[in-house]
DNA sequence: TAGATTGTTAATCGATTAACAATC
DNA sequence: TAGATTGTTAATCGATTAACAATC
């Protein structure tokens, strides 16, 4: 598939670089150094250079990185230079929020299909998208060659949903349900469960004990 | 403040243990081994034992861990045995979704105060909570001794908001805005920006190139 | 040439996993 | 006693940071 030697932690930082580069661009800079990027993102400059070196040589010694050029390169690496439709499963408040974000920033990564099991939701509109019955999900994903999905359903349904998604050809999943999903090795699942995050943050809530 | 030697990565796993233990409990098990917990969460048993060992000796050799006892211990470590009010800033769709989750599972960590800058939102109700004007935020947080906050405002306002929160005594922040926030060392910020996550996931969307 | 900054190697640091004595 | 499983030390692995030659 893809070069599997790239550490996950490196891939996860690429969008941060992209974000910072976009800021540089809009502030008019033509070039930027790893030093400057590091300051903006609170990261070690050596780390940034090393991360980028996994994918090629994008900078010039003594000068730094040409902003637009590096943006193009990272967008290509992340596949953001092509259209990537995303399927959203679960049309609750969270799903709606995700939909809004997805459309606000007109990315190539965009939620294009929304599914829900509830007859109350099916047929309604979320951010201009029609909510479809889960029964149509597998066919729809297959026919439109969708590879990315977001799970925003209750915990008890998440495993069933992910199995359907994987069976339909989904390879990358962002999971908001608070469960550890079982998937084949080839499928990438990223957990984004904020109740879990919030509980762990409680540890850092100062108290007088 | 707190024993600062505990790695962040360990603290972040504690809620997972809690989740798995709760399942054990409801399935009727009185004890559980690190082996079993590891299988349920897809973690190495040695890691689980080592994580717990940071906080004490909670198991019995040859037996495992008493489920309810370990639940109590972890809840205490995470401060979940006392009431922890959370302030939510930003009453959009995301904020509403967060509010719902926070109330559904009647945790001690619960969103109790909601703030927004928009006159359209102020005064309205979100999950039984009145949306307050940001102008009241600092006083409200101070007076009610709130230590945890969630930022669900647009990126351009996040830094201003976090500075107000820190000034009012907040020590733990869950940030949904796609920006790197500047805060004093004593304040813990956890980023939960899913657009960034989604972009990095695109790397794993299989393609034919 | 002097100053800046990359790409890369080596050093450090931290986290995960294996192994095992202790003991239920 | 034999089998299971902890707590903990040692070994491994991986990620971050420092250092520096190459070079713009």
């Amino acid at each position: 598939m893809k070069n599997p030697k790239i550490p996950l932690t490196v891939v996860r930082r690429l969008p941060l670089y992209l974000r910072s580069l976009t800021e540089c661009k809009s502030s008019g800079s033509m070039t930027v150094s790893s030093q400057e990027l590091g300051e903006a993102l609170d990261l070690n400059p050596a780390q940034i250079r090393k991360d980028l070196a996994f994918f090629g040589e994008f900078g010039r010694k003594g000068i730094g990185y040409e902003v637009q050029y590096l943006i193009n390169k990272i967008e290509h690496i992340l596949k953001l230079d092509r259209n990537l439709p995303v399927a959203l499963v679960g049309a609750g408040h969270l799903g709606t929020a995700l939909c809004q974000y997805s459309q606000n920033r007109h990315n190539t990564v965009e939620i294009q299909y929304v599914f829900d099991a509830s007859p109350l939701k099916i047929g309604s509109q979320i951010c201009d998208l029609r909510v479809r019955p889960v029964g149509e999900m597998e066919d729809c994903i297959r026919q439109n060659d969708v590879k990315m999905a977001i799970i925003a359903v209750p915990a008890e349904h998440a495993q069933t949903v992910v199995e359907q998604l994987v069976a339909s050809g989904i390879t990358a999943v962002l999971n908001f349900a608070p469960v550890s999903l079982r998937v084949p090795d080839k499928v990438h699942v990223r957990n984004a469960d904020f109740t879990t995050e919030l509980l762990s943050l409680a540890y850092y809530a100062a108290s007088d004990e």
Side-chain angles (χ1 to χ4, degrees), chain A:
Chain A
M1 194 176 308
K2 251 273 150 121
N3 188 336
K5 282 155 241 138
I6 313 288
L8 173 64
T9 173
V10 171
V11 175
R12 292 189 67 192
R13 275 191 294 265
L14 295 181
L16 302 182
Y17 301 156
L18 214 39
R19 184 206 288 164
S20 215
L21 286 163
T22 308
E23 273 168 31
C24 288
K25 186 183 169 188
S26 66
S27 81
S29 315
M30 299 307 283
T31 65
V32 67
S33 67
S34 59
Q35 178 74 230
E36 292 168 298
L37 282 175
E39 272 160 28
L41 292 166
D42 213 7
L43 295 173
N44 186 301
Q47 182 169 67
I48 296 175
R49 295 200 300 277
K50 204 157 192 284
D51 284 356
L52 296 174
F54 275 103
F55 305 98
E57 303 195 0
F58 304 135
R60 283 205 295 164
K61 291 173 184 175
I63 308 289
Y65 300 91
E66 208 265 289
V67 174
Q68 185 60 57
Y69 177 76
L70 190 52
I71 288 177
N72 295 155
K73 285 299 183 182
I74 296 179
E75 285 184 341
H76 180 73
I77 293 163
L78 286 174
K79 302 203 181 75
L80 305 179
D81 55 355
R82 63 210 84 166
N83 203 276
L84 284 178
V86 177
L88 167 66
V89 195
H93 268 290
L94 178 59
T96 308
L98 295 167
C99 245
Q100 281 188 329
Y101 275 74
S102 159
Q103 298 200 333
N104 273 354
R105 354 168 108 221
H106 20 76
N107 280 315
T108 52
V109 180
E110 194 185 44
I111 294 174
Q112 287 184 14
Y113 307 97
V114 182
F115 304 95
D116 202 289
S118 160
L120 295 171
K121 301 255 177 64
I122 294 166
S124 68
Q125 294 272 127
I126 282 188
C127 302
D128 295 337
L129 294 172
R130 183 173 60 84
V131 178
R132 301 157 196 256
V134 275
E136 290 177 12
M137 187 170 75
E138 300 203 39
D139 282 348
C140 177
I141 287 173
R142 245 187 294 265
Q143 276 160 31
N144 296 287
D145 204 37
V146 183
K147 296 298 174 197
M148 304 179 68
I150 299 176
I151 297 182
V153 303
E156 57 271 30
H157 299 128
Q159 183 60 41
T160 310
V161 166
V162 81
E163 282 165 18
Q164 292 173 322
L165 291 172
V166 169
S168 334
I170 292 287
T171 61
V173 175
L174 187 56
N175 172 40
F176 285 89
V179 278
S180 302
L181 300 176
R182 311 266 141 197
V183 294
D185 286 349
K186 60 174 200 261
V187 179
H188 288 260
V189 172
R190 188 91 102 257
N191 290 310
D193 162 29
F194 48 76
T195 56
T196 306
E197 288 292 345
L198 204 55
L199 292 189
S200 73
L201 258 189
Y203 181 79
Y204 301 102
S207 71
D208 333 305
E209 67 165 321

